[in-house]
Amino acid sequence: MAQPSMQSSYPEVHSEVRKFIGGRSRRMLIDGKWVEAASGKTFTTYDPATEEPLAEVPAGDKEDVDRAVRAARKALESGAWPRTTPSERGRMLWKLADLIEAHGEEFAQLETLDNGKPVAIARVADIPLVVDQFRYYAGWATKVEGETIPVSIPGQRMLCYTRREPVGVVGQIIPWNFPLLMAAWKLGVALACGNTVVLKPAEQTPLSALRLGELITEVGIPPGVVNIVTGLGETAGAAIASHPDIDKVAFTGSTEVGHLIMQAAGASNLKRVSLELGGKSPNIIFADADLDQAAVGAANAIYFNHGQCCCAGSRLFVEQKVYDKLVPRLVEYSEKIKLGPGMDPSTDMGPLVSSEQYQRVTSFLKAGKNEGAKVATGGDRPKQLDKGYFVAPTVFTDVKPDMKILREEIFGPVVCAIPFKDPNEVLAAGNDTEYGLAAAVWTKDIQKAHRLAEGLKAGTVWINCYNMFDAAAPFGGYKQSGFGREMGKAALELYTQIKTVWVNLGEA
Ligand code: NAP
Ligand code: MG
């Protein structure tokens, strides 16, 4: 069995993080108890900056998912959860947010060690967004309301009203790019609405969800309400998608697996499905934009989280007139990015999450070169780093519409820069993709900006900004980027169902 090891060049690792990955991570949360996988098996999660084993976690599979679903069902139907008032649920979520905030440094370090992201970014982006997510939905717990409906039945007086009820037992399968944040996006709203949950974190990054489970029990959320099953997608994940007693599955990850989730839901019990999938988002810069702002915006759009963002601005369209001005600025910016281990506070960009992801991204780099695209910068692993899954920030130019690097989601720090002549041309090119998660437009012309915002087939359009997120703002996809909106009031739709009640009040 692999021994957790951490490089001696990480002097700042929090003592609680050391304790957690040194032992407690070997158990997962089912029915309020910390248990091993039924099979007794574990798997190893790695530090992508060193390629060394980081911790062992339970390899949960179908049997564990069954146990977790039984616990979630019991907690939903007969346990303490239905007896908890909305106000109490809200207070628990608020308290959970406070506890996460109090342990923020531990969480930031766990994310960095497991995922590779710079700890400086995890501290100011991931963790505050997680805290805010729980606070936001703490507020909603007391506001999940039905309606009274003015019905028209001749000769009869009727009271007709709706109740917004929980969907039930919810399976949540999350990815590795923002491990704790994706857990928060899914858990906050599910709990506010009164559901119970079986959550499966990604095999590459299971640690922060397990630590979150400890805080969930600490705030008094009753046993079985949240179950956290670590395991592989093909076993634990597939068992959730096809489980006959799960009422809804929420999935974030690849479009390919999204298809499998829907098939499994259809082949089993027609559980409700919401999917947040991949993207190939167009980032459109017009000549009349503030080019200083737009150049930095273009870099942040693609390089945030090392390009491992479903909404990454991976297709950069630049108006012909300023193409030769803007692309060199982006190249210059790219070359200043400091790559290194995420635990080094001076690092701008860490390694990719895993060896598979490294293979995947570097194979796209090869494909781009083979297909004749020009590497304006990057294109390989950085020479100065001999270990860790690092890829240099890369800008491709001379990209043709049918090239693989322009059509497929790379999920790495790789952007294709493409010139365009006018708004109609770029609107058509921007929409020429099977995806539709996000898009951005940079211009000072408000007419052009809003026309584009209307025409772009994407779930989010940013104007003169990129990667803006807020717990109150809905997020989700058009086309094969999925369906259902997470965050904001919109997410309540995914986690409640409407019951219509008719009451006969006698003759009119
Ligand atoms: P993935 O396979 O879609 O993984 C996402 C989640 O689904 C993980 O928890 C995974 O578990 C689980 N899963 C995998 N196969 C499953 C199955 N057959 N049934 C049920 N659950 C299953 O994503 P990936 O392989 O990690 O990354 C591949 C590509 O997906 C990336 O390059 C990127 O294009 C895309 N991606 C998108 C997002 C996003 O935010 N939209 C996030 C991550 C990846 P395991 O990890 O344990 O296998
Ligand atoms: Mg890892």
Side-chain angles (χ1 to χ4, degrees):
M1 196 178 295
Q3 287 301 310
S5 82
M6 279 172 291
Q7 262 202 342
S8 52
S9 60
Y10 291 173
E12 296 299 328
V13 174
H14 196 290
S15 59
E16 281 305 315
V17 171
R18 283 188 184 276
K19 278 191 229 157
F20 178 74
I21 63 183
R24 301 210 303 279
S25 68
R26 287 162 188 267
R27 291 179 200 279
M28 58 189 172
L29 181 62
I30 297 180
D31 206 6
K33 299 179 193 74
W34 290 93
V35 297
E36 292 180 356
S39 66
K41 289 186 190 151
T42 59
F43 67 93
T44 308
T45 179
Y46 293 85
D47 176 346
T50 61
E51 306 179 25
E52 283 171 25
L54 178 64
E56 290 290 314
V57 299
D61 60 23
K62 186 171 179 304
E63 202 177 333
D64 303 286
V65 168
D66 281 343
R67 280 199 286 171
V69 172
R70 278 198 299 276
R73 178 60 61 191
K74 189 175 70 179
L76 181 83
E77 309 288 352
S78 57
W81 203 227
R83 291 194 296 276
T84 309
T85 65
S87 168
E88 283 166 335
R89 285 206 300 272
R91 267 180 287 158
M92 285 176 194
L93 288 174
W94 193 276
K95 212 163 132 190
L96 180 60
D98 285 347
L99 263 187
I100 296 166
E101 197 166 46
H103 293 274
E105 179 59 21
E106 281 169 59
F107 277 111
Q109 293 194 12
L110 271 178
E111 293 296 67
T112 293
L113 290 168
D114 213 5
N115 164 282
K117 63 180 67 199
V119 70
I121 307 276
R123 284 175 186 142
V124 299
D126 297 62
I127 308 307
L129 285 169
V130 167
V131 170
D132 203 42
Q133 193 68 214
F134 284 112
R135 292 214 174 110
Y136 176 80
Y137 283 107
W140 269 113
T142 47
K143 296 161 197 75
V144 182
E145 297 172 345
E147 293 173 323
T148 52
I149 315 288
V151 289
S152 312
I153 307 295
Q156 290 271 299
R157 290 176 60 183
M158 287 280 167
L159 166 64
C160 182
Y161 66 93
T162 58
R163 293 168 48 83
R164 222 171 233 287
E165 298 186 344
V167 174
V169 174
V170 174
Q172 303 184 322
I173 302 172
I174 57 171
W176 42 257
N177 50 349
F178 296 91
L180 189 65
L181 186 58
M182 292 302 102
W185 278 22
K186 291 199 170 19
L187 281 172
V189 58
L191 298 178
C193 294
N195 300 279
T196 59
V197 177
V198 177
L199 174 84
K200 192 201 88 66
E203 67 186 83
Q204 298 84 352
T205 56
L207 297 176
S208 55
L210 289 174
R211 179 72 184 106
L212 178 66
E214 295 186 334
L215 302 190
I216 284 172
T217 42
E218 198 176 327
V219 299
I221 291 177
V225 172
V226 177
N227 304 276
I228 298 172
V229 177
T230 50
L232 308 187
E234 306 81 67
T235 51
I240 288 174
S242 62
H243 203 286
D245 200 31
I246 288 183
D247 301 300
K248 173 199 162 56
V249 59
F251 170 79
T252 298
S254 59
T255 296
E256 190 189 344
V257 175
H259 280 266
L260 297 178
I261 301 280
M262 250 187 116
Q263 284 164 17
S268 55
N269 62 340
L270 283 182
K271 57 178 67 63
R272 280 118 188 85
V273 177
S274 56
L275 301 173
E276 205 263 90
L277 308 174
K280 194 74 186 174
S281 298
N283 189 16
I284 300 170
I285 301 179
F286 283 97
D288 62 6
D290 175 334
L291 291 187
D292 292 332
Q293 197 191 31
V296 176
N300 290 335
I302 184 62
Y303 298 140
F304 180 58
N305 214 39
H306 326 163
Q308 301 168 133
C309 283
C310 44
C311 55
S314 51
R315 292 183 299 145
L316 176 65
F317 294 97
V318 185
E319 193 169 347
Q320 186 93 64
K321 283 185 261 182
V322 293
Y323 185 85
D324 290 335
K325 258 197 210 160
L326 192 118
V327 172
R329 285 199 206 183
L330 174 62
V331 167
E332 193 187 330
Y333 189 102
S334 308
E335 289 170 355
K336 285 192 183 137
I337 291 173
K338 185 176 173 236
L339 280 91
M343 289 299 281
D344 177 343
S346 70
T347 288
D348 298 320
M349 189 187 280
L352 300 180
V353 72
S354 63
S355 114
E356 299 80 56
Q357 198 58 18
Y358 176 81
Q359 297 303 336
R360 192 183 145 85
V361 173
T362 48
S363 78
F364 272 106
L365 296 177
K366 282 196 199 92
K369 293 178 212 167
N370 289 342
E371 285 180 308
K374 201 173 138 223
V375 176
T377 186
D380 230 317
R381 69 172 290 128
K383 289 184 187 58
Q384 70 277 20
L385 293 161
D386 55 2
K387 96 177 146 163
Y389 306 121
F390 292 94
V391 170
T394 298
V395 179
F396 275 117
T397 58
D398 296 1
V399 180
K400 300 286 169 298
D402 56 349
M403 285 183 182
K404 193 174 150 76
I405 50 169
L406 191 62
R407 303 225 66 90
E408 294 180 26
E409 183 178 41
I410 299 176
F411 229 61
V414 183
V415 62
C416 298
I418 307 131
F420 70 89
K421 290 203 189 67
D422 64 63
N424 289 335
E425 180 200 327
V426 78
L427 181 60
N431 284 335
D432 180 18
T433 167
E434 70 191 36
Y435 295 111
L437 197 57
V441 182
W442 301 79
T443 176
K444 288 186 186 135
D445 177 340
I446 58 164
Q447 257 189 355
K448 206 156 56 184
H450 289 288
R451 279 174 182 235
L452 265 283
E454 185 185 301
L456 284 162
K457 293 185 170 48
T460 294
V461 178
W462 288 295
I463 296 172
N464 295 329
C465 58
Y466 209 98
N467 282 333
M468 290 294 135
F469 290 96
D470 190 287
F475 184 80
Y478 275 38
K479 301 196 265 183
Q480 291 203 47
S481 290
F483 50 84
R485 293 291 176 270
E486 298 193 288
M487 299 200 285
K489 187 179 174 185
L492 303 181
E493 299 293 332
L494 302 182
Y495 287 92
T496 55
Q497 52 192 345
I498 289 175
K499 177 181 283 173
T500 308
V501 182
W502 291 81
V503 187
N504 188 345
L505 300 178
E507 286 178 19

